[in-house]
Amino acid sequence: MRLLVTGRDGQVAASLLAAGQARAGVEVVAIGRPELDLAWPDTIIDAIAGAKPDIVVSAAAYTAVDQAEDEPDLAFAVNATGAGKVAEAAARLGVPVIHLSTDYVFDGTKADAYIESDPTAPLGVYGASKLAGEQAVASANPRHLILRTAWVYSPFGKNFVKTMLRLAADRDEISVVSDQWGNPTSALDVADAILHAATMLHRNKDFAGFGICHLAGSGETNWSGFAGHILDTSLKFGGPWARVRDITTMDYPTKARRPVNSRLSSAKFGAAFGWTAPDWQKSAREVVHRLVSGGSNGP
Protein backbone atom coordinates (compact mmCIF):
# COMPACT_ATOMS: atom_id res chain seq x y z
CA MET A 1 0.00 0.00 0.00
CA ARG A 2 1.40 3.36 -1.07
CA LEU A 3 0.15 6.19 1.11
CA LEU A 4 0.68 9.81 0.13
CA VAL A 5 0.51 12.46 2.87
CA THR A 6 0.35 16.17 2.06
CA GLY A 7 2.87 18.27 3.93
CA ARG A 8 6.34 17.28 5.09
CA ASP A 9 6.86 19.12 8.35
CA GLY A 10 3.52 18.72 10.11
CA GLN A 11 3.21 16.57 13.21
CA VAL A 12 0.97 13.95 11.61
CA ALA A 13 3.00 13.82 8.39
CA ALA A 14 6.24 13.32 10.35
CA SER A 15 4.58 10.69 12.54
CA LEU A 16 3.22 8.86 9.50
CA LEU A 17 6.63 8.81 7.86
CA ALA A 18 8.17 7.34 11.01
CA ALA A 19 5.38 4.78 11.46
CA GLY A 20 5.46 3.75 7.82
CA GLN A 21 9.12 2.79 8.07
CA ALA A 22 8.24 0.23 10.74
CA ARG A 23 5.41 -1.44 8.80
CA ALA A 24 6.02 -4.12 6.21
CA GLY A 25 4.11 -3.66 2.99
CA VAL A 26 3.47 0.05 3.61
CA GLU A 27 5.17 2.93 1.84
CA VAL A 28 4.52 6.46 3.08
CA VAL A 29 5.46 9.35 0.80
CA ALA A 30 5.19 12.99 1.87
CA ILE A 31 4.87 15.86 -0.61
CA GLY A 32 4.95 19.49 0.45
CA ARG A 33 5.91 22.91 -0.82
CA PRO A 34 6.90 23.90 -3.42
CA GLU A 35 5.88 20.74 -5.32
CA LEU A 36 2.47 20.73 -3.62
CA ASP A 37 1.24 24.05 -2.22
CA LEU A 38 -2.36 24.19 -1.03
CA ALA A 39 -2.40 27.94 -1.62
CA TRP A 40 -1.71 27.28 -5.31
CA PRO A 41 -4.31 24.75 -6.54
CA ASP A 42 -2.58 24.25 -9.89
CA THR A 43 0.25 22.40 -8.12
CA ILE A 44 -2.00 19.87 -6.40
CA ILE A 45 -3.43 17.65 -9.14
CA ASP A 46 -0.13 16.92 -10.89
CA ALA A 47 1.82 16.39 -7.66
CA ILE A 48 -0.64 13.81 -6.34
CA ALA A 49 -1.12 12.08 -9.69
CA GLY A 50 2.64 11.73 -10.09
CA ALA A 51 2.94 9.94 -6.74
CA LYS A 52 0.47 7.20 -7.81
CA PRO A 53 -0.90 6.59 -4.29
CA ASP A 54 -3.38 3.98 -3.11
CA ILE A 55 -4.57 6.32 -0.33
CA VAL A 56 -4.22 10.09 0.04
CA VAL A 57 -3.91 11.62 3.52
CA SER A 58 -4.79 15.30 3.51
CA ALA A 59 -2.76 16.52 6.49
CA ALA A 60 -1.30 19.85 5.34
CA ALA A 61 -3.19 22.86 6.67
CA TYR A 62 -3.04 26.48 7.77
CA THR A 63 -2.96 26.10 11.57
CA ALA A 64 -2.06 29.57 12.90
CA VAL A 65 -5.30 30.05 14.85
CA ASP A 66 -4.78 33.66 15.91
CA GLN A 67 -3.05 34.76 12.72
CA ALA A 68 -5.97 33.42 10.71
CA GLU A 69 -8.09 36.26 12.07
CA ASP A 70 -5.85 38.63 10.08
CA GLU A 71 -5.40 36.31 7.08
CA PRO A 72 -8.85 34.87 6.37
CA ASP A 73 -8.31 34.65 2.61
CA LEU A 74 -5.14 32.59 3.02
CA ALA A 75 -6.71 30.36 5.69
CA PHE A 76 -9.67 29.57 3.42
CA ALA A 77 -7.45 29.16 0.35
CA VAL A 78 -5.41 26.48 2.13
CA ASN A 79 -7.92 24.82 4.45
CA ALA A 80 -10.97 24.90 2.16
CA THR A 81 -10.04 25.34 -1.51
CA GLY A 82 -6.74 23.51 -1.22
CA ALA A 83 -8.21 20.64 0.79
CA GLY A 84 -10.98 20.27 -1.77
CA LYS A 85 -8.42 20.06 -4.58
CA VAL A 86 -6.53 17.32 -2.72
CA ALA A 87 -9.75 15.32 -2.42
CA GLU A 88 -10.50 15.97 -6.09
CA ALA A 89 -7.05 14.73 -7.09
CA ALA A 90 -7.64 11.52 -5.13
CA ALA A 91 -11.05 11.09 -6.77
CA ARG A 92 -9.51 11.42 -10.24
CA LEU A 93 -7.20 8.55 -9.36
CA GLY A 94 -10.10 6.54 -7.96
CA VAL A 95 -8.61 6.36 -4.46
CA PRO A 96 -9.93 7.38 -1.02
CA VAL A 97 -8.88 10.51 0.84
CA ILE A 98 -8.36 10.70 4.61
CA HIS A 99 -8.68 14.33 5.64
CA LEU A 100 -7.70 15.78 9.02
CA SER A 101 -10.00 18.32 10.64
CA THR A 102 -10.39 19.83 14.09
CA ASP A 103 -12.43 20.32 17.24
CA TYR A 104 -12.54 24.02 16.33
CA VAL A 105 -15.54 23.37 14.09
CA PHE A 106 -17.54 23.42 17.36
CA ASP A 107 -18.21 26.38 19.64
CA GLY A 108 -17.48 24.48 22.87
CA THR A 109 -20.82 25.18 24.55
CA LYS A 110 -21.95 21.54 24.79
CA ALA A 111 -21.87 20.11 28.30
CA ASP A 112 -20.32 16.77 27.36
CA ALA A 113 -18.20 15.28 24.58
CA TYR A 114 -19.09 16.15 20.99
CA ILE A 115 -20.26 13.48 18.59
CA GLU A 116 -20.09 13.67 14.82
CA SER A 117 -23.74 14.65 14.32
CA ASP A 118 -23.64 17.63 16.70
CA PRO A 119 -24.22 21.04 15.07
CA THR A 120 -21.07 22.86 14.03
CA ALA A 121 -20.53 26.50 14.98
CA PRO A 122 -16.93 27.71 14.60
CA LEU A 123 -15.87 30.61 16.80
CA GLY A 124 -13.19 31.99 14.48
CA VAL A 125 -11.67 32.02 11.00
CA TYR A 126 -9.54 28.93 11.53
CA GLY A 127 -12.47 26.77 12.58
CA ALA A 128 -14.68 28.18 9.81
CA SER A 129 -11.99 27.46 7.20
CA LYS A 130 -11.59 23.89 8.44
CA LEU A 131 -15.34 23.35 8.36
CA ALA A 132 -15.42 24.66 4.79
CA GLY A 133 -12.63 22.20 4.06
CA GLU A 134 -14.69 19.31 5.37
CA GLN A 135 -17.50 20.31 3.07
CA ALA A 136 -15.19 20.71 0.08
CA VAL A 137 -13.60 17.30 0.67
CA ALA A 138 -16.95 15.56 1.02
CA SER A 139 -18.20 17.20 -2.17
CA ALA A 140 -15.08 16.36 -4.19
CA ASN A 141 -14.61 12.72 -3.26
CA PRO A 142 -17.39 10.34 -2.13
CA ARG A 143 -14.75 7.99 -0.69
CA HIS A 144 -13.69 10.37 2.08
CA LEU A 145 -12.84 9.78 5.72
CA ILE A 146 -12.75 13.05 7.64
CA LEU A 147 -11.04 12.73 11.02
CA ARG A 148 -11.58 15.49 13.56
CA THR A 149 -8.87 15.54 16.18
CA ALA A 150 -7.79 17.91 18.96
CA TRP A 151 -4.92 19.09 21.14
CA VAL A 152 -2.33 17.35 18.97
CA TYR A 153 1.25 16.97 20.19
CA SER A 154 4.24 14.82 19.22
CA PRO A 155 8.04 14.69 19.24
CA PHE A 156 7.93 16.72 16.00
CA GLY A 157 7.22 20.32 15.08
CA LYS A 158 5.78 22.94 17.42
CA ASN A 159 3.25 21.87 20.05
CA PHE A 160 2.12 22.30 23.65
CA VAL A 161 4.32 19.56 25.11
CA LYS A 162 7.48 21.03 23.63
CA THR A 163 6.46 24.53 24.71
CA MET A 164 5.99 23.40 28.33
CA LEU A 165 9.38 21.70 28.39
CA ARG A 166 11.06 24.75 26.89
CA LEU A 167 9.43 27.14 29.38
CA ALA A 168 10.21 24.87 32.32
CA ALA A 169 13.89 25.02 31.45
CA ASP A 170 13.87 28.77 32.12
CA ARG A 171 11.12 29.36 34.71
CA ASP A 172 10.09 28.19 38.15
CA GLU A 173 6.38 28.67 37.47
CA ILE A 174 4.19 28.52 34.34
CA SER A 175 0.66 29.93 34.17
CA VAL A 176 -1.72 27.68 32.21
CA VAL A 177 -5.44 27.95 31.46
CA SER A 178 -7.55 25.59 33.56
CA ASP A 179 -11.06 26.25 32.24
CA GLN A 180 -10.69 24.76 28.74
CA TRP A 181 -11.19 20.99 28.49
CA GLY A 182 -10.27 18.46 25.84
CA ASN A 183 -8.55 15.22 24.85
CA PRO A 184 -4.77 15.50 24.44
CA THR A 185 -3.97 13.53 21.29
CA SER A 186 -0.58 12.15 20.29
CA ALA A 187 0.17 12.47 16.58
CA LEU A 188 1.92 9.10 16.95
CA ASP A 189 -1.46 7.59 17.83
CA VAL A 190 -3.17 9.48 15.00
CA ALA A 191 -0.62 8.06 12.56
CA ASP A 192 -1.20 4.54 13.89
CA ALA A 193 -4.96 4.97 13.53
CA ILE A 194 -4.64 6.35 10.00
CA LEU A 195 -2.46 3.44 8.88
CA HIS A 196 -4.92 1.02 10.46
CA ALA A 197 -7.89 2.66 8.73
CA ALA A 198 -6.05 3.06 5.43
CA THR A 199 -5.26 -0.64 5.36
CA MET A 200 -8.94 -1.48 5.80
CA LEU A 201 -9.96 0.98 3.08
CA HIS A 202 -7.31 -0.40 0.73
CA ARG A 203 -8.33 -4.01 1.24
CA ASN A 204 -12.06 -3.41 1.01
CA LYS A 205 -12.98 -1.17 -1.90
CA ASP A 206 -16.64 -1.26 -0.83
CA PHE A 207 -15.97 -0.28 2.79
CA ALA A 208 -18.99 1.42 4.32
CA GLY A 209 -17.17 3.47 6.94
CA PHE A 210 -16.69 6.66 4.95
CA GLY A 211 -17.83 9.99 6.37
CA ILE A 212 -16.83 11.96 9.46
CA CYS A 213 -15.29 10.41 12.56
CA HIS A 214 -13.73 11.88 15.67
CA LEU A 215 -10.25 10.66 16.54
CA ALA A 216 -8.81 11.89 19.83
CA GLY A 217 -6.94 10.59 22.82
CA SER A 218 -8.77 8.54 25.45
CA GLY A 219 -9.63 10.44 28.61
CA GLU A 220 -9.89 14.16 29.22
CA THR A 221 -8.22 16.98 31.12
CA ASN A 222 -7.77 20.73 31.00
CA TRP A 223 -4.68 22.56 29.72
CA SER A 224 -3.35 23.02 33.25
CA GLY A 225 -3.76 19.32 34.04
CA PHE A 226 -2.05 18.44 30.78
CA ALA A 227 0.85 20.75 31.62
CA GLY A 228 1.19 19.26 35.10
CA HIS A 229 1.37 15.74 33.72
CA ILE A 230 3.96 16.77 31.14
CA LEU A 231 6.23 18.41 33.70
CA ASP A 232 5.85 15.74 36.38
CA THR A 233 6.74 13.13 33.78
CA SER A 234 9.69 15.20 32.61
CA LEU A 235 11.01 15.37 36.18
CA LYS A 236 10.85 11.56 36.50
CA PHE A 237 12.99 11.21 33.40
CA GLY A 238 15.51 13.83 34.51
CA GLY A 239 14.08 16.68 32.45
CA PRO A 240 13.00 20.23 33.36
CA TRP A 241 10.18 20.89 35.83
CA ALA A 242 8.21 23.93 36.95
CA ARG A 243 5.14 24.62 39.07
CA VAL A 244 1.90 25.06 37.14
CA ARG A 245 -0.36 27.92 38.20
CA ASP A 246 -4.01 27.76 37.17
CA ILE A 247 -5.40 30.78 35.34
CA THR A 248 -8.63 31.40 33.45
CA THR A 249 -9.25 32.10 29.79
CA MET A 250 -9.97 35.70 30.77
CA ASP A 251 -6.47 35.93 32.25
CA TYR A 252 -4.93 34.88 28.92
CA PRO A 253 -6.71 36.75 26.12
CA THR A 254 -6.08 35.68 22.53
CA LYS A 255 -7.14 37.19 19.21
CA ALA A 256 -9.18 34.11 18.30
CA ARG A 257 -11.69 32.62 20.72
CA ARG A 258 -11.08 29.01 21.79
CA PRO A 259 -13.80 26.45 22.57
CA VAL A 260 -14.18 25.95 26.31
CA ASN A 261 -15.13 22.33 25.66
CA SER A 262 -13.10 20.52 22.99
CA ARG A 263 -13.89 17.01 24.17
CA LEU A 264 -14.57 14.61 21.29
CA SER A 265 -16.17 11.17 21.51
CA SER A 266 -14.23 8.75 19.31
CA ALA A 267 -16.71 5.89 19.77
CA LYS A 268 -17.80 5.95 16.12
CA PHE A 269 -14.24 5.48 14.84
CA GLY A 270 -13.69 2.68 17.34
CA ALA A 271 -16.82 0.86 16.21
CA ALA A 272 -16.07 1.28 12.50
CA PHE A 273 -12.37 0.43 12.56
CA GLY A 274 -11.82 -1.54 15.76
CA TRP A 275 -9.18 0.91 17.00
CA THR A 276 -9.12 2.91 20.23
CA ALA A 277 -6.49 5.44 21.28
CA PRO A 278 -4.44 4.71 24.39
CA ASP A 279 -5.08 6.73 27.54
CA TRP A 280 -3.78 10.25 26.95
CA GLN A 281 -1.48 10.09 29.97
CA LYS A 282 0.27 6.99 28.63
CA SER A 283 0.76 8.53 25.20
CA ALA A 284 1.99 11.83 26.65
CA ARG A 285 4.47 9.94 28.84
CA GLU A 286 5.94 8.29 25.75
CA VAL A 287 6.40 11.59 23.92
CA VAL A 288 7.87 13.38 26.95
CA HIS A 289 10.32 10.53 27.47
CA ARG A 290 11.46 10.72 23.84
CA LEU A 291 11.94 14.48 24.06
CA VAL A 292 13.75 14.47 27.40
CA SER A 293 16.00 11.57 26.42
CA GLY A 294 16.83 13.14 23.06
CA GLY A 295 15.11 10.42 21.04
CA SER A 296 13.64 12.93 18.56
CA ASN A 297 14.40 16.29 17.04
CA GLY A 298 14.30 17.79 20.54
CA PRO A 299 12.09 20.35 22.30
Side-chain angles (χ1 to χ4, degrees):
M1 179 179 67
R2 185 175 174 86
L3 188 148
L4 168 67
V5 56
T6 63
R8 291 194 185 95
D9 302 323
Q11 295 187 78
V12 172
S15 298
L16 275 170
L17 286 168
Q21 293 175 357
R23 294 210 181 192
V26 174
E27 180 184 11
V28 179
V29 178
I31 301 182
R33 295 178 294 184
E35 294 86 359
L36 186 152
D37 189 336
L38 296 190
W40 295 93
D42 291 344
T43 67
I44 296 172
I45 299 293
D46 290 344
I48 291 178
K52 299 179 180 179
D54 297 302
I55 304 280
V56 173
V57 179
S58 176
Y62 180 109
T63 58
V65 176
D66 290 316
Q67 193 171 333
E69 298 298 310
D70 296 323
E71 298 180 333
D73 291 344
L74 180 57
F76 273 86
V78 172
N79 292 342
T81 305
K85 284 294 183 181
V86 170
E88 178 187 337
R92 289 190 184 189
L93 297 175
V95 302
V97 61
I98 299 175
H99 175 70
L100 292 180
S101 190
T102 174
D103 57 301
Y104 277 58
V105 300
F106 298 114
D107 64 9
T109 59
K110 187 179 179 181
D112 51 6
Y114 281 94
I115 61 175
E116 291 78 0
S117 59
D118 283 328
T120 53
L123 295 176
V125 171
Y126 169 70
S129 69
K130 291 297 288 182
L131 179 59
E134 291 185 6
Q135 296 162 348
V137 167
S139 176
N141 191 335
R143 298 177 69 200
H144 62 269
L145 176 61
I146 295 169
L147 301 177
R148 292 175 180 152
T149 190
W151 293 25
V152 177
Y153 64 92
S154 72
F156 313 107
K158 297 179 180 180
N159 58 71
F160 184 77
V161 172
K162 297 175 82 170
T163 297
M164 291 299 103
L165 294 176
R166 175 176 54 81
L167 293 177
D170 298 323
R171 303 181 186 180
D172 295 326
E173 182 177 90
I174 305 172
S175 298
V176 184
V177 169
S178 63
D179 56 357
Q180 296 176 19
W181 291 78
N183 315 99
T185 307
S186 170
L188 303 177
D189 293 336
V190 173
D192 184 66
I194 287 175
L195 289 173
H196 179 83
T199 300
M200 293 180 65
L201 298 180
H202 182 54
R203 290 175 177 171
N204 183 0
K205 308 300 182 184
D206 298 319
F207 187 76
F210 291 107
I212 298 175
C213 285
H214 293 168
L215 178 61
S218 295
E220 62 187 50
T221 188
N222 55 37
W223 285 114
S224 176
F226 189 17
H229 179 70
I230 292 165
L231 298 176
D232 288 347
T233 302
S234 171
L235 182 63
K236 291 177 181 178
F237 292 125
W241 181 87
R243 293 183 301 275
V244 176
R245 182 172 72 90
D246 290 357
I247 60 173
T248 68
T249 300
M250 294 292 292
D251 296 324
Y252 189 73
T254 55
K255 181 169 289 189
R257 294 171 60 198
R258 267 70 171 171
V260 172
N261 174 28
S262 285
R263 293 174 295 167
L264 302 176
S265 169
S266 301
K268 180 181 175 181
F269 184 88
F273 294 97
W275 188 96
T276 301
D279 182 86
W280 74 264
Q281 293 169 311
K282 179 178 182 294
S283 294
R285 190 178 305 116
E286 176 187 349
V287 170
V288 171
H289 180 251
R290 285 180 58 171
L291 290 169
V292 170
S293 64
S296 71
N297 60 342

